[in-house]
Amino acid sequence: MPDSSKIFTYSVDGLAYTVTVYEENGAFFADITVDEGAMDVNAIYFGDDDFSGSSETLSGPLNMNGARLDGEKVQWDEATELSDPGLGPEGEDKETYLQTGDTMTVALDIESLDEIDIFGIRATSTTTGAGSIKGVSDDPEEPEEPEEPVYEKLFFGEVFSETGDPLGGTFILAEEPDPNPYSIPALPEGTEPTFDNYLTYFLSDDIGGDLSAVQSVVFYGSGEDGVQEELFRIDAPGGGFQSPDELLAAYDDVLDGAGDLSGMDLMAALSLEDSTEAVPEAEDDLDTDGFELV
């Protein structure tokens, strides 16, 4: 998924498109998607909201002369040619010719999304009355990043009973209780209890966890009645998890399978139908034989 993005839209009679500008793994791209109609995308233009300085342009039919934003001339910071006007012998199979539902991805030579506040497209062979456009879009939508789910406790389990009850492994709490009679480890003070942070702490020198020995990771949170309970678990493949990335990928797969939910709603959707008995709180006066409390 993109690390961050901006979404521009453009619509005139006979043509509508969306441009999603985004960063992914340190690189920047623009996805141009036609929502209605068709167009041959010959060039793209973009710039920030500072209109000072000279404006980049392309010669001949790829220029954006006359393009306006709220009645003002646009100063472009970058202009990139993608194709010559005209469908030519390729016809509708031309790579830059997009019809309804088609998407074209263009790499962008920028260092930050802050460089793009205005996006322009010079297109011909369009399904507009004029047959071409000098489209200008601003005021992009910036989707909010989804919040990471948080958990009250995790168990990196190495041994389980036949019924799935935890017998040996490492519990880590979101916050250290006071008192903590069983010395159960807790995330460092001020650490958000996301799975990534739990995993990082489990593998740290403070815990020294052995990921290859983990048979299942069990996630705990508050149920509908406020009592802590198991939410879901991720079982290791044969031979155990071989790397943190492998476990994180398995976790992402679980979340992706839960639909468009977040927070405890998402956790409820992931709850096991027959969840095992909740692990006792650290302060409960219960026998802890069989548990490895690191």
Side-chain angles (χ1 to χ4, degrees):
M1 358 178 11
D3 301 326
S4 54
S5 63
K6 292 183 176 182
I7 301 174
F8 297 86
T9 57
Y10 181 85
S11 179
V12 292
D13 188 24
L15 176 66
Y17 64 77
T18 301
V19 180
T20 303
V21 180
Y22 58 96
E23 178 184 1
E24 190 170 64
N25 299 324
F28 296 88
F29 305 91
D31 283 353
I32 303 170
T33 301
V34 171
D35 303 310
E36 176 189 346
M39 64 177 176
D40 181 21
V41 183
N42 304 131
I44 61 171
Y45 288 72
F46 59 82
D48 57 27
D49 56 8
D50 179 2
F51 281 10
S52 63
S54 60
S55 182
E56 293 294 321
T57 188
L58 297 172
S59 61
L62 300 186
N63 71 74
M64 289 284 279
N65 297 345
R68 294 288 186 270
L69 177 63
D70 297 331
E72 294 187 23
K73 182 179 179 181
V74 181
Q75 181 263 328
W76 302 106
D77 294 327
E78 296 289 342
T80 302
E81 178 178 351
L82 299 179
S83 68
D84 293 327
L87 300 184
E90 295 175 283
E92 295 184 356
D93 292 331
K94 185 179 179 182
E95 185 177 5
T96 56
Y97 184 71
L98 307 180
Q99 302 182 72
T100 302
D102 291 342
T103 297
M104 179 174 64
T105 300
V106 181
L108 303 174
D109 185 17
I110 59 175
E111 297 182 356
S112 168
L113 290 182
D114 293 338
E115 298 179 40
I116 303 182
D117 295 308
I118 301 169
F119 200 94
I121 287 184
R122 178 68 172 111
T124 55
S125 301
T126 65
T127 49
T128 61
S132 66
I133 62 164
K134 295 180 178 180
V136 180
S137 304
D138 71 335
D139 194 21
E141 176 188 353
E142 299 187 37
E144 293 184 7
E145 295 295 322
E147 292 186 7
E148 282 286 319
V150 295
Y151 309 96
E152 296 180 15
K153 177 168 57 185
L154 256 67
F155 178 60
F156 292 87
E158 299 178 16
V159 182
F160 292 85
S161 71
E162 291 184 0
T163 58
D165 295 322
L167 295 179
T170 304
F171 284 104
I172 301 177
L173 307 175
E175 296 181 4
E176 183 174 6
D178 185 16
N180 187 4
Y182 306 129
S183 299
I184 299 178
L187 293 173
E189 186 176 353
T191 302
E192 188 177 12
T194 63
F195 177 54
D196 185 70
N197 287 336
Y198 275 107
L199 179 57
T200 298
Y201 190 54
F202 174 70
L203 297 174
S204 71
D205 292 339
D206 291 335
I207 302 295
D210 180 5
L211 194 57
S212 64
V214 173
Q215 296 303 305
S216 185
V217 181
V218 188
F219 297 73
Y220 296 92
S222 295
E224 293 182 2
D225 55 2
V227 176
Q228 192 177 89
E229 64 181 16
E230 177 179 330
L231 300 172
F232 65 100
R233 60 177 63 188
I234 300 175
D235 295 326
F241 293 107
Q242 299 304 307
S243 70
D245 287 343
E246 182 182 3
L247 177 51
L248 288 169
Y251 173 74
D252 287 341
D253 287 343
V254 171
L255 297 193
D256 289 343
D260 205 15
L261 301 173
S262 62
M264 293 311 300
D265 288 337
L266 178 139
M267 295 302 98
L270 293 173
S271 296
L272 294 179
E273 201 170 300
D274 297 311
S275 62
T276 59
E277 184 179 353
V279 177
E281 297 283 356
E283 61 269 22
D284 288 347
D285 187 17
L286 295 176
D287 183 8
T288 59
D289 289 346
F291 293 96
E292 178 189 347
L293 302 179
V294 180

